[in-house]
Amino acid sequence: MLPKSLRPLFPYMKKYRGSFAVGTLCVFLNNGIWILFPQVVRRAIGDLTDSIAHHRALTHQLISYAMLLLVVACGRGIFQFLTRWILIGVSREIEFDLRNDFFRHLESLSYSYYQRTRTGDIMARATNDLNAVRMLLGPAIMYSANTVVFTAGALAFMLSISPRLTLYAFLPLPIVSITIQYFGKQIHERFEKIQEMFSEISARAQENFSGARVIRAYVQEDPETAGFEAANREYIARSLPLVRLMGMLWPSLEAMLGFAIVLVLWLGGREVLQGRIKVEDFVAFNLYMVQLTFPIIALGWVINIFQRGTASMARINEILVERPEIADGVEATITSANAAGLEGEIEFRNLNFAYNGKPVLHDVNLRIPAGSSLAIVGPTGSGKTTLVSLIPRIYDAAPGSVLIDGRPVREYSLELLRANIGFIPQETFLFSESVRENIAFGKADASDAEVRSAAEAASIAEDIEGFPEKYRTLVGERGITLSGGQKQRTAIARAIIRNPRILVLDDALSSVDTHTEDKILNHLREVMQGRTTIFISHRVSTVRNADMIAVLHTGRVVELGTHAELIERNGYYTDLYNKQLLEEELAEV
Ligand code: ADP
């Protein structure tokens, strides 16, 4: 009975059924030849005893028997090599397919998945667990096939020599099977716990590297090291019992085999003495017992990797069964194939939104005409980011509550929708590639001129010209470190190059000073003329020029209007304005 967790592997194995068939043939040939070894020895000894009895010379026959043994050994060696080559090769191929599919699957999952899953955990599954699965597909299958075929063949020969002796030899079999089951279950459970801890260690390490700056700033290197050591110790604590268990498995199996050999020698020896079994048959029988040593020991190894593999496959499966929360539904009928693009009118209609039952937005009603600009202000946590995230469907609002050009966003294919929205999140992320590649990220065929004009529009061109290799300069881990403001502007250039109908800036200029933000936005305004722009900002000075300003407070739009209208109302916006005016005045003093 194969465990359920291995089911996802079947299609992969099916793909290589040809190789498996050839591999199996090699297993049969390899063992079929190897099984002849005791038969040759049996004949040789038979002839030898005959010749001793009849005082005949046997040199020539002995040489031919020796040659025959050599042929058997060589033939076996060749097929052993082929078996290994083919079956282990297939496991590498399946590992390759599985890894690709695993990655493709991870790419298909929604952003929210990555918010609730630790990167280190995913990495552990993609590396360590995948390897355990490969071991199952390769060596485990190969060695168990060998063991099964050889044992079956040997059994047939042993039965033909003496059914009674065979019975003695296989007397410990029930104990072997109980032992295997016991060890198998134990290994599986322990390995699950070990892998869990390995994920924990990986996640901890990964977070430590990503958070290197915070850890240094708070001088937490020692506590972090201690924390890691504790986790690492737990990992070892979980691993050592498995080592002990495995340490016991082999001697147990060997002891049982030894016990069988003792039985055979003792009970079989008596049969020989009583003349019921010939000496050569007895020798051949014992040779089979010796030949069975390795397959039986391999069995211990197979149990180990089989149990590890199934535990790991279950862990990989946990990710494979995840479905993207946001995907094209049946209603997504407007695609880039049948629509030219979007106009850019955005509407939130009676929008309520909650994260896992925690309400964040309440009854939001807003209409942003195509080509106009909306600024959103409001205190931290009032739901600004959430609101704009609903436009490109990073999160999904209730059907019909977010509309573009009068149609619910779900009616657009994600591809069309997102291609038309330039979204610049609060936290910018740049890849460890060149500046150019980072800007042209969403437009693989962008020309140099397009990259440059996007950089100019985002007011980053001048900075880039000053970099050592200009647009070819590598950024991030492999290259230069950009300032927060430079990163943000690069991210803006990345959004602009796709020429989107809708541009969303989520506080995307927080790292530049007010004056520069003003300058950049003025520039952007020219570039984005005729396009819909939504921007979130804390600074009144930058939002005042927007066609419309919405003030969000605890998830509700509490004020809406132009700068002049809102100042007139003398509410939250006026407060904010006065405060910032005061701050500016103080700064000038
Ligand atoms: P703002 O952008 O105005 O600072 P946000 O939209 O980021 O506000 O957050 C609004 C509220 O939603 C906050 O209380 C925040 O804790 C919560 N929130 C934001 N993102 C998530 C999330 N992914 N899961 C659960 N709650 C979230």
Side-chain angles (χ1 to χ4, degrees), residues 115 355 358 360 379-386 395:
Q115 278 202 309
Y355 287 110
K358 182 185 154 221
V360 173
T380 315
S382 56
K384 304 183 292 294
T385 301
T386 306
Y395 296 102

Side-chain angles (χ1 to χ4, degrees), residues 55 127 133 147 203 292 303 329 342 364 430 457 462 487 509 532 554:
H55 301 289
T127 52
V133 173
T147 302
L292 273 172
I303 301 162
L342 305 177
V364 174
L430 297 185
E462 249 178 65
K487 275 190 202 160
L509 285 167
T532 318
T554 56

Side-chain angles (χ1 to χ4, degrees), residues 293-435:
T293 316
F294 183 71
I296 297 288
I297 291 185
L299 202 59
W301 204 55
V302 164
I303 301 162
N304 184 24
I305 44 186
F306 183 78
Q307 294 302 343
R308 283 169 183 254
T310 47
S312 282
M313 192 59 216
R315 280 165 52 80
I316 291 177
N317 244 348
E318 281 171 12
I319 294 184
L320 289 179
V321 295
E322 286 282 341
R323 290 286 152 251
E325 281 152 58
I326 292 162
D328 284 337
V330 278
E331 66 273 45
T333 49
I334 313 171
T335 65
S336 47
N338 59 24
L342 305 177
E343 277 299 310
E345 185 207 68
I346 300 166
E347 188 183 346
F348 299 104
R349 195 183 285 171
N350 306 326
L351 167 70
N352 289 291
F353 184 79
Y355 287 110
N356 308 318
K358 182 185 154 221
V360 173
L361 295 171
H362 310 272
D363 199 27
V364 174
N365 281 290
L366 268 179
R367 207 178 67 81
I368 308 135
S372 72
S373 59
L374 172 82
I376 306 175
V377 291
T380 315
S382 56
K384 304 183 292 294
T385 301
T386 306
L387 184 67
V388 294
S389 303
L390 299 176
I391 308 170
R393 290 185 66 195
I394 291 174
Y395 296 102
D396 250 344
S401 52
V402 182
L403 304 97
I404 292 181
D405 299 343
R407 307 284 291 265
V409 277
R410 290 179 197 228
E411 289 186 13
Y412 299 96
S413 72
L414 279 176
E415 192 257 325
L416 174 74
L417 180 72
R418 291 179 180 170
N420 278 280
I421 302 172
F423 192 86
I424 307 147
Q426 225 162 2
E427 282 165 26
T428 42
F429 181 84
L430 297 185
F431 296 91
S432 297
E433 290 172 353
S434 67
V435 179

Side-chain angles (χ1 to χ4, degrees), residues 24 28 63 168 170 174 223 226 241 268 298 316 318 401 458 472 547 550:
T24 312
F28 274 99
I63 291 179
Y168 299 152
F170 282 85
I316 291 177
E318 281 171 12
S401 52
R472 304 253 165 245
D547 296 331

Side-chain angles (χ1 to χ4, degrees), residues 465-499:
E465 291 296 331
F467 293 162
E469 288 177 66
K470 303 201 163 57
Y471 285 87
R472 304 253 165 245
T473 312
L474 293 177
V475 300
E477 283 145 20
R478 283 163 51 202
I480 61 165
T481 309
L482 301 188
S483 73
Q486 286 171 329
K487 275 190 202 160
Q488 288 187 328
R489 280 174 283 153
T490 310
I492 293 176
R494 175 194 288 165
I496 292 175
I497 199 165
R498 300 213 300 172
N499 202 10

